[in-house]
Amino acid sequence: MMSTSRLTQLITSLLLIAAAATTVSATDHIVGANRGWNPGINYTLWSNNHTFYVGDFISFRYLKTQYNVFEVNKTGYDNCTLDSAVGNWSSGKDFILLNKSQRYYFICGTGGCFNGMKVTIRVHPLPSPPSSAVAASEHSTSTAAGKSIFNVAFVVLASLIWLGSGTICEF
């Protein structure tokens, strides 16, 4: 028979695995994908093909000797001006945390904005989890996350049944 401390360790480990399987991970949205932050790219089309959530990152990849990134308000975005700048980056590989549910405006401050180097994105709040187990089952069973939760629950339940059978030797 397995000792109580081993049983506790096993159950704790399985619960940690279950928690890890249900964690939501942030997405890094690379502006312009493989074309990066450069003139002549339709960033409106790029941003319309992405869904941004609080906790995601937006990253800009560019030649740091030629371009940069400024976060501005709508007026700064529309007019390609830096008067309203609330942030700026110039490393050539900038990772910006999207920590609020709002519209963000980014432009290039070296003149590239006038050549299309500007992008606006709408960041959505994270979806709320369902309020009951029944609702969670109905809404997530067809998703990979729902399947992962089911698989982890099955492993936990099978382990507990196996442990209860008394066939396990102590380590």
Side-chain angles (χ1 to χ4, degrees), residues 26-36 41-54 56-60 98 102-104 106 119-124:
T27 300
D28 178 22
H29 302 273
I30 301 171
V31 176
N34 62 345
R35 297 181 68 195
I41 297 172
N42 185 339
Y43 293 108
T44 300
L45 180 62
W46 173 85
S47 67
N48 287 341
N49 286 315
H50 291 267
T51 303
F52 303 89
Y53 292 102
V54 171
D56 284 354
F57 289 87
I58 186 169
S59 61
F60 293 82
L98 304 171
Q102 66 180 35
R103 180 159 294 279
Y104 288 82
F106 298 100
V119 62
T120 179
I121 60 168
R122 175 75 182 123
V123 176
H124 302 280

Side-chain angles (χ1 to χ4, degrees), residues 11-161:
I11 291 171
T12 302
S13 297
L14 291 172
L15 290 173
L16 288 173
I17 291 168
T22 60
T23 344
V24 176
S25 62
T27 300
D28 178 22
H29 302 273
I30 301 171
V31 176
N34 62 345
R35 297 181 68 195
W37 185 234
N38 288 295
I41 297 172
N42 185 339
Y43 293 108
T44 300
L45 180 62
W46 173 85
S47 67
N48 287 341
N49 286 315
H50 291 267
T51 303
F52 303 89
Y53 292 102
V54 171
D56 284 354
F57 289 87
I58 186 169
S59 61
F60 293 82
R61 314 283 171 87
Y62 55 91
L63 291 172
K64 67 180 183 177
T65 56
Q66 294 181 348
Y67 308 116
N68 58 22
V69 178
F70 281 82
E71 182 183 348
V72 296
N73 64 17
K74 184 173 180 349
T75 303
Y77 177 84
D78 290 341
N79 298 317
C80 290
T81 59
L82 301 176
D83 298 336
S84 65
V86 294
N88 64 65
W89 298 265
S90 58
S91 74
K93 251 188 185 176
D94 307 319
F95 296 87
I96 302 167
L97 175 63
L98 304 171
N99 60 356
K100 294 180 184 172
S101 176
Q102 66 180 35
R103 180 159 294 279
Y104 288 82
Y105 301 91
F106 298 100
I107 66 171
C108 176
T110 61
C113 181
F114 295 106
N115 292 317
M117 291 179 70
K118 62 185 191 174
V119 62
T120 179
I121 60 168
R122 175 75 182 123
V123 176
H124 302 280
L126 286 173
S128 299
S131 60
S132 71
V134 173
S137 174
E138 291 172 358
H139 293 296
S140 67
T141 53
S142 64
T143 67
K147 290 175 184 175
S148 294
I149 292 167
F150 175 78
N151 290 342
V152 171
F154 178 78
V155 170
V156 170
L157 182 59
S159 298
L160 291 174
I161 291 170

